[in-house]
Amino acid sequence: MTSMSSIVLAASEHADVVPVAADGVFSWMWLLVAIPAVSAAILLIGDGAGDHGPLDRFGHLLGTAAAIASFVVGVVGFVALLGQDVAERAVTQDLWTWMQVGGFDVTMSVYYDQLSALFVLLITGVGSLIHVYSIGYMAHDPRKRRFFGFLNLFIAAMLVLVLAGDYLVLFLGWEGVGLASYLLIGFWQEKRSAAVAAKKAFIVNRVGDLGLALGIMLMFAQFGTTNIHEVGLNVTNASQSVATALGLLLLLGACGKSAQVPLQSWLLDAMEGPTPVSALIHAATMVTAGVYLVVRSAAIYDLSEVARTAVVIVGCVTLLFGAWIGCAKDDIKKALAGSTMSQIGYMMLAAGLGPAGYAFAIFHLITHGFFKANMFLGAGSVMHGMNDDVDMRHYGALRKLMPLTFITFAMGYLAIIGFPGFSGFFSKDRIIESAFATNFWAGLAALLGAGVTAFYMTRVMILTFFGERRWREDVHPHESPKIMTVPLIVLAALSVVGGALTFSDWIEDWLTPVTGSEHHELGVPAWVITLIIVAVVAVGASLAYVLFARRDVPDTAPQQVSVFTRAGRADLYGDAVNEAVFMRPGQYLTRSLVYVDGTGIDGAVTGTAELVGDGARGLRRLQTGFVRTYAAEIFGGALVLVLALLAVNLA
Amino acid sequence: MSAVSVQAIVGAAPSPIEAPDVDYATISPLLIILGAAVLGVLVEAFVPRAYRFVTQIAVAVVGVVAAFVATVVVGAGLDTVDGEVTGRGGPTAMGSLSVDGPAVVTWAMLLFFGLLGVLLFAERRLDGGLSAFTSQASTPPGSADERHATRLRIEHSEVFPLAMFALGGMMFFASANDLLGMFVALEVLSLPLYLMCGLARRRRLLSQEAAMKYFLLGAFSSAFFLYGIAMVYGYAGSFGLAEISTAVSSQIGGQNLLLAGMALILVGLLFKVAAVPFHAWTPDVYQGAPTPVTAFMAAGTKAAAFVAMLRIFFVAFGGARWDWAPAVWAIAIITMLFGAIASIAQTDVKRMLAYSSIAHAGFLLVGMAGLTSGDGVTSVSAVLFYLVAYGAAAIGAFAVVTLVRDAGGETTHLGRWAGLGKESPVLAVAFTIFLLSFAGIPLTGGFISKWSVFAAAWDGGAWPLVVVGVVASALALFFYIRVVVLLFFAPPQGDGPTVAVPSPLTWSVVAITVAVTIVLGVLPGPLLDLVQQAGAFVR
């Protein structure tokens, strides 16, 4: 990684941004958050008792209108930002002082700049489309109103996250999207698997949140501020090790939210939630928050090569890891989830390249938001027609019966594999090029990932839309209603033309003030790399064609398969590792403490009882209910305390 | 005792006895509360039974409100002291009390808790027109006499003067400036609480057992406290915190005497704040005591004892900080982890809140590791803020517990709370807000309080404590969220919980505590300013 060290010198230009106070249109940016937040409050709290009140009949329309209104504000803000001078494109508006202690204060402020503007458009734009789609998808759900309330809550929290000018406010949004994600994964709580998945997502995310929380504490301790801009200024004067520690802690947070190895295991299970949720939260927006965090903290990562290298490694490992899982899954949503993991790996890899890659990370994040939301909604449309069966082995030959779903899905497919001219082609190509320019091995991993992506996406495509019909008896596939296909068409169009963002380097130039920029020269002309990528993609797609289109697809997954397939089906044993390393010791600990409190224990709260095993019988019960035991404990504690203090003196 | 030894104690030359010089205005809040308590005793003796309950409520409420007003007046009039540390106010009443910034803030806090407690005590609509306290404590549970007393609608309206005595003791405890005063205050606050714990109307045996346990263990720990005081007196030759501080700084005499004394005093205080391993009484007593009493003592005792602990250890033993700090660190870590993990296993709401209270004692101890003065978040300001936020949420949570009932009175098994969100959305949302505050979720008071104690500890160089604290709060959050899910999403058992319709008294307690919890999360500025302005302890 010799060439990486030069980045440190080149990258300090973006620290010079001076935010200007908001006026005119920009003083209304708080509406972005306020509209969906108020709508969520109305939907979740208002009219609680009535089962068929007006809110139950029209609540979904209110929720959708709120998302669209927020999008309109976002567009107005974006247009206004285009009209500003480059030097005045970071706008900040202080709303109120959240807390102030001595010299430390945290302001609730809206920080609207080039980076947050793009995110606002993505979140509210894709969010609005998914709200519209959900009107159709959730039409028959009795708790529709609550669903839209949660979706609005998510939009509001996600906007708080990207509009935060202070890490502590960002943390507020970070927790908010986690909460919304938890509620939505477990939305069909009567399904046990959904409840378990929600819990898992929650716990794994807590591990990541610990990293972020400690990172923020460290900033506070080192710089006396948690304002993102000021931290960026202060960190340049701090020692290398502080920057590295901050970078690694933030990376831990990013890994949790963005389902990166080693905190990846929750994302596959999160597919238990309703499909629009998978599209919005677990593909297009929330899971990319980790990438946002890294790019937003560019000032920190610029100073620490170790932290950057860690980001690159996490990205590379995850992009291969997710692709591998994507190859082995028969559940269409899980195959797509593996792919999401892998594509976010690309973004992480790009973000880890420093100023050379930040813009491309965001570029890929946006195009991925389009085509992956498109494909998830397409998968939802297929499931809608197939009685909610998710097993691709039960699909086949759907292209004639669901023409719109097929065509739009195909656009997404061509985009994700990087077919020349489609959006994914441009964004992935840029990342692989910059990876090669920085480090050969990272480039190679990204290139290999592109081939595997083509392989597994072609497999999904063939199993679903081509070949023989393998439906169950009672299934009558049909095209989805207009309210669901229109969002698909819009997203498909965006998947095709999204690549236009990079024409004449628009997105790079746009983001330069935020992220800095840098260009590494490749040893070979760029078109050579492009050709190689296209060739690798073609090989991957052809291989899938030979394996799946030319042969019959068995109705149940074959058991006589290679070690690699088996590992992929088992999510590469991510759960097994978690269980051995975290769960077992945790269970033993709680079990022993259950014994500590011997009175009134008859099973855990949710009735999962059986906590009292035979093996633990030997453990001493400390909470016996006998005063003599308690007094003995106090006496023992006092003795230890006295002796400990005296020992300090003797030592 | 011979004349020689008396002289040795009094001083070399006997001086004429001076008349005590007491500034009554400054200590008026304390006098008003103790006066209200004494008045309550007289009411008990002279007012006819039919009017007694109402009169007692009036005396208590007027007393608390008057004391609160007096506290505000006293607080506004404190002089700023600029010495080694910046503070306000100072010793009064011949140096036996220190009416400084932290003391006045604690008084106001305790009076606020006291008012909420009195409102809960006064609730009579939940149990067929009778209060939550037994009709006649002297009758055996389940006896004919007990039924007779209930039929006559006899009530123990003595709880109000008892509460006032306890409140007075707490206020005295938080502002006492010498160890002997502290011991007296400790007993004044504890004895009424022991009694009140045994007065529950329902599940009387459990309640009496709780009172007995609390009394025995409390007396046991008081003995440690007193022995510690004796040792410190032996070391410093004085009970006054200022004199002890001088002695500690100049390192006179045998260090072992001081260390053992500090350890024993620490034991007595850690017992009161329910820190591990002196916590064992907490779940049993919280569960057995009448719920309004649990609410009052969970908030009040913790606040008074923590402020007293900070005062003793920062003022008197400040010079020996590095002797006691490691022990406090260790206990903070054990307490946080134990409280967080043990609460996961609970199935009873009141026990769960008790373990949560233990965990919070741990977080508060983290706050103790901060700096004693300075511009940033100091230990004192962080702990004061934490106590307000925790106390409000705790009183609110216990108030909700009083409302969820079945035929046998309050139903505290968590399983029976499933589906509360359907039965009473408002109550379930309120309880959720309290739990989120306990968990330290942003936009609740709990978040800002956790942030401030962690920030204080980090400033004080105690980063390992902060790391453990963040981990422990993550663990605890998992549990709290599970309860929230239970409230809203789990299918109800049988008919589900029933929610009694209370009088406006309990409703207003729930409403006030919810409001305080949210305001402290969204706009914590004013209170943060106030605790920051309170400055350091003045000796």
Side-chain angles (χ1 to χ4, degrees), chain A residues 48-49 96-104 108 143 146 150 168 171-172 175 179 182-183 189 199 202-203 206 210 213-214 216-218 220-222 226 589-590 593-594 596-597 599-606 608 623 625-627 630-635 637-638 641-642 645-646 648-650, chain B residues 209 213 216-217 220 224 255-256 259-260 262-264 266-267 271 277-281 283-284 323 327 331 338 341-342 344-347 351 355 375-377 413-414 441-443 447-448 451 454-455 458-459 466-467 470-471 474 477-479 481-482 485-486 489 521-525 528-529 532:
Chain A
W96 77 85
T97 301
W98 191 18
M99 57 173 126
Q100 185 181 22
V101 185
F104 170 71
M108 280 286 182
R143 294 183 305 139
R146 184 178 284 175
F150 288 160
L168 216 54
F171 187 67
L172 170 67
E175 295 281 294
L179 179 68
Y182 170 73
L183 291 169
Q189 76 233 1
K199 202 153 82 182
F202 189 80
I203 296 171
R206 288 312 295 173
L210 283 184
L214 288 175
I216 295 174
M217 285 311 291
L218 183 59
F220 168 69
Q222 287 292 324
T226 53
L589 188 59
T590 32
L593 278 168
V594 167
V596 166
D597 189 301
T599 49
I601 300 303
D602 53 357
V605 183
T606 40
T608 42
Q623 192 81 20
F626 290 124
V627 178
Y630 297 173
E633 277 173 51
I634 293 176
F635 185 75
L641 203 59
V642 172
L645 254 69
L646 289 176
V648 169
N649 189 36
L650 294 176
Chain B
E209 185 186 325
K213 278 180 185 167
L216 286 175
L217 295 171
F220 191 53
F224 282 102
Q255 289 293 309
N256 288 344
L259 290 168
M262 282 196 307
L264 293 175
L266 194 57
V267 170
F271 174 84
F278 312 105
H279 67 285
W281 60 278
D284 292 6
D323 290 326
I331 287 173
F338 181 88
I341 296 171
I344 292 177
Q346 299 308 311
T347 56
R351 288 184 84 83
Y355 278 103
D375 264 350
V377 195
H413 192 280
L414 261 179
I441 294 286
L443 294 190
F447 173 72
I448 310 283
W451 170 261
F454 290 163
W458 198 304
D459 272 358
V466 176
V467 174
V470 172
V471 172
L477 175 64
F478 170 57
F479 170 71
I481 291 291
R482 232 167 35 155
V485 170
L486 179 87
F489 300 133
V522 180
L523 281 173
L528 278 174
D529 265 353
Q532 198 68 21

Side-chain angles (χ1 to χ4, degrees), chain B residues 155-403:
Chain B
E155 283 177 292
H156 271 301
S157 45
E158 294 95 332
V159 288
F160 294 98
L162 287 175
M164 290 301 107
F165 276 121
L167 188 57
M170 290 171 187
M171 291 168 66
F172 187 11
F173 201 29
S175 54
N177 200 30
D178 65 47
L179 290 176
L180 214 52
M182 278 197 174
F183 181 71
V184 173
L186 179 68
E187 294 305 312
V188 172
L189 90 85
S190 300
L191 290 170
L193 284 178
Y194 299 148
L195 256 177
M196 284 152 73
C197 283
L199 292 181
R201 174 176 295 278
R202 309 289 189 126
R203 302 197 185 89
R204 284 186 60 198
L205 285 175
L206 202 62
S207 171
Q208 291 176 354
E209 185 186 325
M212 194 65 190
K213 278 180 185 167
Y214 194 17
F215 170 65
L216 286 175
L217 295 171
F220 191 53
S221 75
S222 289
F224 282 102
F225 189 66
L226 194 57
Y227 194 18
I229 290 176
M231 285 188 171
V232 171
Y233 181 84
Y235 170 81
S238 168
F239 292 118
L241 299 189
E243 290 77 11
I244 296 171
S245 163
T246 316
V248 170
S249 309
S250 50
Q251 302 225 330
I252 54 162
Q255 289 293 309
N256 288 344
L257 207 55
L258 173 68
L259 290 168
M262 282 196 307
L264 293 175
I265 288 178
L266 194 57
V267 170
L269 291 164
L270 289 175
F271 174 84
K272 280 288 162 202
V273 303
V276 178
F278 312 105
H279 67 285
W281 60 278
T282 319
D284 292 6
V285 173
Y286 277 28
Q287 189 185 16
T291 310
V293 174
T294 315
F296 174 62
M297 78 180 176
T301 313
K302 191 157 281 188
F306 250 105
V307 175
M309 179 148 78
L310 290 186
R311 189 183 290 281
I312 296 180
F313 281 85
F314 284 2
V315 175
F317 303 139
R321 182 170 185 130
W322 292 109
D323 290 326
W324 55 261
V328 171
W329 277 35
I331 287 173
I333 290 175
I334 301 170
T335 307
M336 284 188 289
L337 290 177
F338 181 88
I341 296 171
S343 65
I344 292 177
Q346 299 308 311
T347 56
D348 182 280
V349 180
K350 286 169 87 177
R351 288 184 84 83
M352 180 268 277
L353 291 173
Y355 278 103
S356 142
S357 143
I358 294 172
H360 284 286
F363 292 121
L364 281 157
L365 285 171
V366 170
M368 209 173 150
L371 300 173
T372 46
S373 66
D375 264 350
V377 195
T378 63
S379 275
V380 180
S381 62
V383 166
L384 285 177
F385 187 92
Y386 200 117
L387 288 169
V388 176
Y390 169 73
I395 292 181
F398 282 113
V400 173
V401 172
T402 63
L403 297 181

